[in-house]
């Protein structure tokens, strides 16, 4: 066959202008030339088309391409005609005369490739027509449409195998897809009667793609800045719902960005219009639901941003893979926020899939969530998902480029595992975290979980941080959630090794993030609230709170009175007068509360406050402190965390309360901090912290900078 493979290479050079085949292409083309029916599973952008286009040029007869994408057939065929390959298509957009002409030309062997949608095989006149042709190859593109397990099942695809079986002279068959799950593969093999040896899963690594996971940001501001940084080069933004797509589209349009939009609720004509505008670079950004993209082979897409969590890894890789088909460096960014898990769970729950299938979908969703918590190389995680156990790390994803120190978390992991065991592995993440942090939640009492020896074992953790740690343990496969909307957590073999002390658990310390950003829409909502109050009280708005105060609220989203009291400009009086009204507004944005904020507003969400703590304010802490009570004792007394008390003191200090700096921070530390600040300035805390010994805390630095 070597002679023919060199012919194949010649065609590649001659028609396509490429010098080498990509991983997998050569192998698959070789199989076609040998006449072996095959399934080719290659990632999106991996170069599947060439796997049938080159054999089409080398084989004597016609290659029939079955493709689901009527709207793209013309583009695909035009692209081939452009490079001198005789190709045509038949679909419902043609007039009767055009169709007759094309049929005649096909019969006269004027074309090497003919594209049709599988629906056409339902017309007996057409199958009779095909029976008389010399078909060398039938390529089934997007073949996962044939599987009920696939995400785009099309009933007409099921007709393909029946039609093939009836043919007297059998053409070669090549089924192509980017979907690599075992159930889909299995279905295809069955429908097409293809042996295991003829299934080729290749080239899943996409070396030019830089995967990035971004957590805890205001998504909209992130996107705004990102697009600007990218200089509005071509990119796709995927969101999960039509509503969200429309909102992002509108906002970008209002900013003057050239943007298109695509979702299933638009009419055919609009969708086509936007799609074409994107393909032909009339607009640079496409905002879309997952309805967009199959078969789009625009090669210069520089980035794909996922505004929401996709439903599973296949879908993610397929969508993200639409970046960088031309092999140029491109970025795939996933903006993670935990509430998106609920949206996807809801989609599964609402679907009409049967129970067994739902369970599988939940499990896949969990693997997607695990992607967002793993510390493994992100490309490697994806490859492993597809069954490629490569040890190689991409060296460019956000995990490979992570900074921060690796810390031993074995003890904490053991606490979590042993608590789960004692809870008989019958509860979900939140319950486990609540038991460990010693929550007084009703449900905990109801199940008498507060009598477990692990109850309150990790009191010093916030519920949020502990949940994140459990997510991490899940991502690293110590814990396996059951496949359901409200999964219960179970321990894996791996966790048992840790419990027995045979294996250790490490995690990278999250580097502290810079100050969270102000959030414009939150600020606007607060301003509206202020305006209403001002009108009602007949005072100018700034008398209520200054813009600066509202901005800081939009930055930190305080959710309790204690937290609100930490905001500059919120004194006791105003807290009593307006606190509740503003908190109501802020609660609407609670999901946007930054994950790590330097002000570390840190009241434990699980602890019910005593009445004294509730009606008291930060001033109560300050008074106690001035009386010489230690931070630790104040925290106990007020049932708040030490961090919160420190924040109270800090605020008083900043507000000009006469407090001795020395009583808050060691003299030596003060000197050291001042020295560093003199040297590098005081704009950011992190670089200052990095210059100082470990035991100097952010709080110490803030105190020194306070005035
Ligand atoms: P898929 O159908 O697998 O998503 P395509 O067939 O659309 O991918 O190919 C993706 C891109 O890769 C196209 O722009 C194509 O021209 C290019 N390509 C395919 N094979 C090669 C190759 N051997 N060398 C360079 N570029 C290639
Ligand atoms: Mg393709």
């Amino acid at each position: 066959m070597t002679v023919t493979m060199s012919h194949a290479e010649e065609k590649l050079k001659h028609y396509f202008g490429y010098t080498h085949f990509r991983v997998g292409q050569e192998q698959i083309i070789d199989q076609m030339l040998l006449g072996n029916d095959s399934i080719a599973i290659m990632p999106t952008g991996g170069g599947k088309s060439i796997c049938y286009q080159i054999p089409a040029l080398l084989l004597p007869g016609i290659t029939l391409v079955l493709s689901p994408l009527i709207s793209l057939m013309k583009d695909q065929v035009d692209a081939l005609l452009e490079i001198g390959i005789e190709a045509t298509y038949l679909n419902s957009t043609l007039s009767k005369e055009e169709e007759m002409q094309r049929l005649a030309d096909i019969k006269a062997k004027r074309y090497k490739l003919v594209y049709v949608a599988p629906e056409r095989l339902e017309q007996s006149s057409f199958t009779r027509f095909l029976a008389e042709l010399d078909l060398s190859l039938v390529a089934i593109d997007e073949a996962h449409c044939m599987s009920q397990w696939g995400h785009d099942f099309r009933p007409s695809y099921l007709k393909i195998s029946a039609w093939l079986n009836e043919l007297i002279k059998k053409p070669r068959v090549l089924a192509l897809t980017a979907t690599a799950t075992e159930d889909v593969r299995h279905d295809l093999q069955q429908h097409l009667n293809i042996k295991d040896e003829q299934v080729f899963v290749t080239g899943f690594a996409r070396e030019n793609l830089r995967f990035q996971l971004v957590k805890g940001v205001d998504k909209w501001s992130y996107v705004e800045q990102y697009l600007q940084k990218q200089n509005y080069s071509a990119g796709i933004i995927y969101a999960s719902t039509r509503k969200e797509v429309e909102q992002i589209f509108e906002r970008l349009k209002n900013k003057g960005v050239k943007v298109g939009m695509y979702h299933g609720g638009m009419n055919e004509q609009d969708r086509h219009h936007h799609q074409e505008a994107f393909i032909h670079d009339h607009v640079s950004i496409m905002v879309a639901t997952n309805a967009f993209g199959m078969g789009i082979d625009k090669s210069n897409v520089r980035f794909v941003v996922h505004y929401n969590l996709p439903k599973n890894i296949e879908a993610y890789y397929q969508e993200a893979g639409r970046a960088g088909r031309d092999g140029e460096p491109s970025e795939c960014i996933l903006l993670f926020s935990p509430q998106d898990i609920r949206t996807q769970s809801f989609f599964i729950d609402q679907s009409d899939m049967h129970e067994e299938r739902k369970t599988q979908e939940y499990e896949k969703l969990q693997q997607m969530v695990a992607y967002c918590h793993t510390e493994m190389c992100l490309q490697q995680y994806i490859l492993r998902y597809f069954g490629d156990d490569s040890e190689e790390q991409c060296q460019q994803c956000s995990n490979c480029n992570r900074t921060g120190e690796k810390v031993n978390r074995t003890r904490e992991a053991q606490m979590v595992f042993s608590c789960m065991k004692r809870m008989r592995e019958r509860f979900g993440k939140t319950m486990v975290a609540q038991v460990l942090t010693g929550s007084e939640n009703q449900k905990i009492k109801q199940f008498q979980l507060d009598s477990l020896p692990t109850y309150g074992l990790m009191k010093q953790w916030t519920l949020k941080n502990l949940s994140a740690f459990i997510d991490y343990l899940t991502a690293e496969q110590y814990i396996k959630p059951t496949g359901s909307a409200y999964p219960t957590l179970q321990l894996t073999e791996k966790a048992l090794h840790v419990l027995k002390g045979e294996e250790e658990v490490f995690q990278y310390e999250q580097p502290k993030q810079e100050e969270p950003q102000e959030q414009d829409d939150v600020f606007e909502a607060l301003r509206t609230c202020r305006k209403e109050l001002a009108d009602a009280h007949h005072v100018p708005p700034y008398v209520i709170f200054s813009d600066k105060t509202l901005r800081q609220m939009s930055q930190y989203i305080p959710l309790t009175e204690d937290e609100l009291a930490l905001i500059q400009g919120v004194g006791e009086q105003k807290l009593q007068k307006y606190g509740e009204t503003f908190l109501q507004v802020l609660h609407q944005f609670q999901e946007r509360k930054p994950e790590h904020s330097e002000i570390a507003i840190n009241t434990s969400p699980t602890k019910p406050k005593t009445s004294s703590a509730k009606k008291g304010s930060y001033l109560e802490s300050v008074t106690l402190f001035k009386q010489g009570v230690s931070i630790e004792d104040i925290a106990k007394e007020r049932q708040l965390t030490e961090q919160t008390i420190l924040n109270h003191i800090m605020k008083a200090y900043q507000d000009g309360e006469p407090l001795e700096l020395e009583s808050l921070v060691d003299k030596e530390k003060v000197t050291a901090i001042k020295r560093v600040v003199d040297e590098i300035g005081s704009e950011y805390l992190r670089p200052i912290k990095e210059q100082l010994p470990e035991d100097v805390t952010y709080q110490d630095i803030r105190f020194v900078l306070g005035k």
Side-chain angles (χ1 to χ4, degrees):
M1 275 343 275
T2 42
V3 180
T4 331
M5 268 326 286
S6 74
H7 284 153
E9 218 154 68
E10 230 169 70
K11 299 284 181 206
L12 182 73
K13 245 173 259 167
H14 177 80
Y15 287 103
F16 295 91
Y18 300 138
T19 46
H20 299 286
F21 282 114
R22 288 202 186 142
V23 183
Q25 286 177 330
E26 198 162 352
Q27 202 180 10
I28 292 158
I29 292 170
D30 196 27
Q31 291 304 311
M32 286 305 105
L33 298 180
L34 287 167
N36 300 329
D37 292 355
S38 305
I39 295 175
I41 301 174
M42 291 169 82
T44 304
K48 288 186 284 295
S49 324
I50 276 179
C51 296
Y52 58 83
Q53 286 163 346
I54 295 223
L57 294 169
L58 294 169
L59 294 169
I62 292 171
T63 291
L64 184 74
V65 184
L66 297 171
S67 157
L69 305 152
I70 292 178
S71 67
L72 292 165
M73 273 179 196
K74 185 174 181 320
D75 287 334
Q76 289 175 335
V77 165
D78 283 348
L80 289 173
L81 293 173
E82 197 61 39
I83 55 176
I85 295 176
E86 297 296 346
T88 193
Y89 65 91
L90 294 168
N91 68 22
S92 50
T93 66
L94 302 176
S95 68
K96 201 81 217 139
E97 294 78 56
E98 280 175 309
E99 185 174 326
M100 297 303 283
Q101 184 61 50
R102 289 195 187 185
L103 287 170
D105 287 342
I106 293 166
K107 203 157 195 173
K109 294 192 165 194
R110 269 205 46 204
Y111 300 110
K112 291 306 291 179
L113 289 122
V114 178
Y115 285 70
V116 298
E119 280 78 6
R120 200 154 273 256
L121 297 176
E122 290 165 35
Q123 300 173 10
S124 53
S125 58
F126 185 64
T127 50
R128 276 199 305 274
F129 170 78
L130 288 178
E132 287 172 22
L133 296 180
D134 173 19
L135 286 183
S136 291
L137 169 63
V138 172
I140 308 170
D141 202 10
E142 314 287 355
H144 56 276
C145 295
M146 202 180 242
S147 168
Q148 309 237 26
W149 299 107
H151 36 86
D152 294 300
F153 174 62
R154 290 240 253 169
S156 61
Y157 261 75
L158 287 180
K159 302 275 176 350
I160 299 174
S161 46
W163 166 70
L164 283 170
N165 286 335
E166 279 168 23
L167 286 177
I168 297 166
K169 192 167 161 251
K170 299 261 180 281
R172 299 160 177 75
V173 175
L174 176 61
L176 308 110
T177 177
T179 303
T181 52
E182 211 160 307
D183 32 22
V184 169
R185 192 186 310 180
H186 189 74
D187 259 9
L188 292 186
Q189 283 187 254
Q190 266 206 327
H191 285 309
L192 298 170
N193 194 16
I194 288 175
K195 297 183 296 259
D196 288 347
E197 308 87 77
Q198 292 306 122
V199 180
F200 299 94
V201 185
T202 62
F204 262 77
R206 294 283 309 278
E207 272 140 30
N208 60 322
L209 299 186
R210 201 162 96 82
F211 289 91
Q212 270 174 285
L213 193 80
V214 178
K215 296 185 200 179
V217 296
D218 172 37
K219 294 181 179 185
W220 171 249
S221 334
Y222 182 91
V223 164
E224 245 183 332
Q225 284 172 21
Y226 182 77
L227 295 186
Q228 206 167 15
K229 207 177 77 197
Q230 296 298 312
N231 210 2
Y232 302 98
S233 51
I236 305 173
I237 300 172
Y238 278 109
S240 344
T241 61
R242 294 171 186 182
K243 198 171 134 215
E244 205 145 17
V245 166
E246 279 167 8
Q247 281 170 352
I248 300 169
F249 171 77
E250 284 302 326
R251 287 173 98 168
L252 288 175
K253 210 170 87 177
N254 289 339
K255 280 181 50 97
V257 177
K258 288 189 174 156
V259 57
M261 149 172 104
Y262 193 106
H263 64 64
M266 294 159 64
N267 68 39
E268 171 97 37
Q269 201 182 350
D270 285 349
R271 275 195 316 228
H272 188 72
H273 170 76
H274 282 267
Q275 177 170 299
E276 287 293 298
F278 181 63
I279 292 175
H280 298 285
D281 285 340
H282 300 314
V283 301
S284 54
I285 313 294
M286 178 60 110
V287 188
T289 60
N290 60 4
F292 174 76
M294 181 164 58
I296 302 276
D297 38 23
K298 185 176 169 64
S299 68
N300 64 338
V301 175
R302 288 282 67 85
F303 61 86
V304 172
V305 172
H306 277 77
Y307 205 81
N308 304 111
L309 185 78
K311 62 179 171 187
N312 56 40
I313 298 281
E314 288 108 72
Y316 180 58
Y317 205 44
Q318 214 147 80
E319 288 157 17
R322 291 178 182 136
R325 279 168 189 264
D326 53 11
E328 289 295 302
S330 307
E331 294 193 308
C332 307
I333 297 173
L334 174 58
L335 302 178
F336 176 74
S337 59
Q339 64 266 28
D340 289 345
I341 305 171
R342 249 177 284 147
T343 314
Q344 291 299 353
S345 235
F346 176 78
F347 285 153
I348 298 174
D349 191 45
Q350 294 299 301
S351 71
D352 51 12
M353 297 181 282
H354 53 82
E355 285 312 307
E356 187 193 343
R357 176 77 196 275
K358 278 188 182 175
T359 304
Q360 287 197 8
E361 290 299 315
Y362 285 126
E363 281 169 3
K364 286 184 183 178
L365 174 59
Q366 279 151 7
Q367 283 169 300
M368 186 69 237
V369 175
Y371 172 86
C372 304
H373 297 294
T374 186
E375 288 188 348
M376 199 196 265
C377 162
L378 294 174
Q379 170 80 81
Q380 193 185 15
Y381 180 95
I382 296 172
L383 293 182
R384 292 210 172 168
Y385 179 88
F386 289 119
D388 173 350
D389 285 332
S390 129
E391 285 298 322
E392 210 170 315
Q393 310 205 332
C394 76
Q395 304 299 351
Q396 55 180 351
C397 71
S398 51
N399 278 356
C400 285
N401 284 331
R402 164 193 42 219
T403 53
E405 244 172 85
K406 217 172 183 176
V407 286
N408 192 325
R409 290 261 186 246
T410 311
R411 250 174 58 80
E412 290 88 343
Q414 284 170 336
M415 292 180 191
V416 172
F417 301 155
S418 100
C419 186
M420 283 171 55
K421 252 190 134 152
R422 288 175 196 278
M423 292 168 78
R424 293 162 189 258
E425 302 175 54
R426 283 207 312 240
F427 294 90
K429 180 174 75 181
T430 312
M431 286 289 269
V432 173
Q434 282 181 340
V435 170
L436 281 162
T437 53
S439 158
E440 297 187 25
N441 184 308
Q442 264 317 105
K443 241 172 123 186
I444 304 275
K445 297 213 167 126
Q446 196 183 318
F447 288 107
Q448 298 181 342
L449 295 170
D450 52 350
S451 62
L452 292 178
T454 49
Y455 179 77
L457 194 59
M458 297 176 84
K459 265 207 286 294
Q460 69 285 18
W461 285 59
T462 63
L463 193 65
K464 194 168 174 178
N465 288 344
L466 187 53
S467 296
F469 183 54
I470 296 176
D471 283 332
Y472 169 70
L473 294 172
T474 308
E476 298 301 304
Q477 292 170 12
Y478 293 104
I479 296 174
K480 185 172 161 38
T482 52
S484 62
Y486 300 97
T488 58
L489 302 185
Q490 287 165 0
L491 296 171
T492 65
E493 191 74 29
K494 213 172 147 188
L496 300 181
H497 290 305
V498 176
L499 268 178
K500 284 189 218 146
E502 295 162 0
E503 215 182 278
E504 299 197 295
V505 177
F506 290 91
Q507 186 184 21
Y508 279 94
E509 190 90 75
Q510 289 287 334
K512 284 264 189 323
Q513 297 197 345
E514 304 293 344
E515 296 265 308
Q517 290 164 348
E518 292 161 9
Q519 310 188 53
D520 288 346
D521 52 337
V522 184
F523 176 67
E524 282 310 318
L526 292 167
R527 244 165 58 129
T528 311
C529 167
R530 179 179 65 179
K531 181 83 175 63
E532 282 163 10
L533 276 176
D535 290 349
H537 292 250
H538 306 291
V539 291
Y542 64 82
V543 170
I544 295 183
F545 283 130
S546 71
D547 274 10
K548 190 169 169 196
T549 299
L550 296 193
R551 284 205 185 282
Q552 218 184 33
M553 286 185 202
S554 83
Q555 223 175 337
Y556 293 98
I557 321 241
L559 295 173
T560 63
E561 285 197 3
D562 274 312
E563 287 180 357
L564 191 58
L566 295 173
I567 301 292
Q568 276 187 49
V570 183
E572 182 64 7
Q573 180 96 8
K574 289 188 180 173
L575 189 66
Q576 297 301 337
K577 242 171 141 171
Y578 309 121
E580 217 175 293
T581 316
F582 280 91
L583 283 174
Q584 272 174 18
V585 176
L586 288 161
H587 266 276
Q588 294 164 21
F589 296 96
Q590 57 178 321
E591 292 179 336
R592 300 260 295 276
K593 192 177 174 68
E595 294 219 355
H596 320 271
S597 56
E598 294 277 299
I599 284 195
I601 302 171
N602 214 2
T603 47
S604 158
T606 58
K607 262 180 209 145
K609 309 232 169 67
T610 59
S611 53
S612 85
K614 192 161 168 73
K615 80 171 177 322
S617 71
Y618 77 99
L619 284 175
E620 199 178 312
S621 309
V622 179
T623 313
L624 288 170
F625 182 75
K626 282 205 262 181
Q627 288 164 359
V629 184
S630 74
I631 302 280
E632 199 186 334
D633 289 343
I634 301 174
K636 278 206 190 112
E637 164 79 22
R638 301 203 61 199
Q639 297 210 12
L640 294 169
T641 63
E642 288 180 30
Q643 185 64 52
T644 304
I645 306 300
L646 276 168
N647 287 338
H648 290 169
I649 312 289
M650 171 76 182
K651 178 177 154 63
Y653 181 67
Q654 280 177 340
D655 287 352
E657 194 75 27
L659 296 170
E660 285 298 318
L661 193 56
E662 269 76 355
S663 64
L664 294 162
V665 190
D666 279 1
K667 232 186 188 139
E668 267 171 47
K669 285 189 192 169
V670 176
T671 323
I673 294 167
K674 281 187 170 160
R675 206 178 43 231
V676 173
V677 170
D678 278 347
E679 216 171 282
I680 65 172
S682 60
E683 204 177 353
Y684 294 109
L685 299 186
R686 197 160 134 208
I688 303 176
K689 169 103 168 77
E690 279 167 1
Q691 301 278 325
L692 290 161
E694 283 279 315
D695 62 331
V696 178
T697 63
Y698 277 105
Q699 198 71 46
D700 295 338
I701 302 171
R702 262 190 249 112
F703 274 122
V704 175
L705 294 177
K707 264 191 183 161

